[in-house]
Amino acid sequence: MSSPQERYKRNSKTISLEEQQVMAGTTITVIGCGGLGGFIIEGLARSGVGTLRLVDFDTFDVSNLVKASRKHGVKFNALLCWCIGKAATQTEEFYILPENGKLFQYDCIAVNVIVNNIKGGINSCDIPYTDDMKGFLREYDTLTKKVSTECKSTFLEDHMIVGTSAMIQTELDSIVNQYTDMFCNPMVMWGKYRKHWFKTTLPISFQFHHTQMDGAHAATFLADLQHEIKRLA
């Protein structure tokens, strides 16, 4: 791997070595990975910014999720987490975790959820993803109830974790996770869904590390997520 000095040599006419070193230690969050956002992201990467945290968001038609949740008596968030896992497995970049300057490859994916425990606090719970939706929903129910009762977080160290954050009491257009310097895992975040005359919509934010994937991969994941939601029976 080339050194930062070699990698950004072309910048030397406009950026000094000292300034380049400062930029290498900088973290920048870009919200929106569309046309303009894509150019900005590329420019920041070429200029030598050390860490890029990218957030993209879209509004989803979740009418099928609401219907399936009521029909089968399962939680809306549990169904959405299964769809997130399903969509993530279709993009190989989701199996890669950038951490401490290295890339780690995983064979399995799990979806992390935040659970309200019986003491009024919160805990973290990793749910292993499986293509068997009923099996996933059983695991979701069993593991989240256990975490809630025992007030103890559970983690799957041998799985690539896709984080989620659901603030279902509040309508939110976009969310940025504040722990950008602590976790490099991709994050999917949403608030309260919105009922309309003929459909139900939900703005969903997706945050990821530029070392792991770029805007094109993120857009593919979001499209796959909408596809999986619409396929629910």
Side-chain angles (χ1 to χ4, degrees), residues 192-206:
K192 183 179 181 180
Y193 60 69
R194 305 170 186 186
K195 298 178 181 179
H196 306 281
W197 280 106
F198 301 107
K199 65 180 180 179
T200 303
T201 62
L202 177 67
I204 295 179
S205 297
F206 176 45

Side-chain angles (χ1 to χ4, degrees), residues 190-232:
W190 61 92
K192 183 179 181 180
Y193 60 69
R194 305 170 186 186
K195 298 178 181 179
H196 306 281
W197 280 106
F198 301 107
K199 65 180 180 179
T200 303
T201 62
L202 177 67
I204 295 179
S205 297
F206 176 45
Q207 181 172 306
F208 56 97
H209 196 294
H210 186 51
T211 305
Q212 181 187 32
M213 65 183 80
D214 60 26
H217 299 121
T220 297
F221 164 70
L222 293 174
D224 288 341
L225 177 56
Q226 179 65 89
H227 178 68
E228 294 303 331
I229 291 171
K230 287 187 175 181
R231 288 180 65 233
L232 280 179

Side-chain angles (χ1 to χ4, degrees), residues 78-93:
L79 285 170
L80 180 52
C81 284
W82 182 83
C83 291
I84 289 169
K86 180 68 171 178
T89 60
Q90 299 171 44
T91 302
E92 63 180 18
E93 283 74 16

Side-chain angles (χ1 to χ4, degrees), residues 82-156:
W82 182 83
C83 291
I84 289 169
K86 180 68 171 178
T89 60
Q90 299 171 44
T91 302
E92 63 180 18
E93 283 74 16
F94 268 90
Y95 291 88
I96 300 172
L97 176 65
E99 192 170 10
N100 298 324
K102 299 179 180 180
L103 293 176
F104 296 88
Q105 178 81 43
Y106 290 83
D107 296 321
C108 305
I109 282 179
V111 180
N112 174 269
V113 297
I114 302 301
V115 180
N116 295 318
N117 64 44
I118 60 175
K119 294 182 179 179
I122 59 173
N123 287 100
S124 184
C125 181
D126 291 344
I127 317 293
Y129 172 77
T130 171
D131 283 336
D132 176 11
M133 184 174 67
K134 291 183 179 179
F136 177 87
L137 294 176
R138 284 195 300 269
E139 281 284 274
Y140 184 103
D141 187 59
T142 300
L143 292 174
T144 54
K145 284 181 178 178
K146 181 179 179 181
V147 167
S148 177
T149 301
E150 297 181 356
C151 303
K152 183 179 179 181
S153 297
T154 62
F155 302 101
L156 296 173

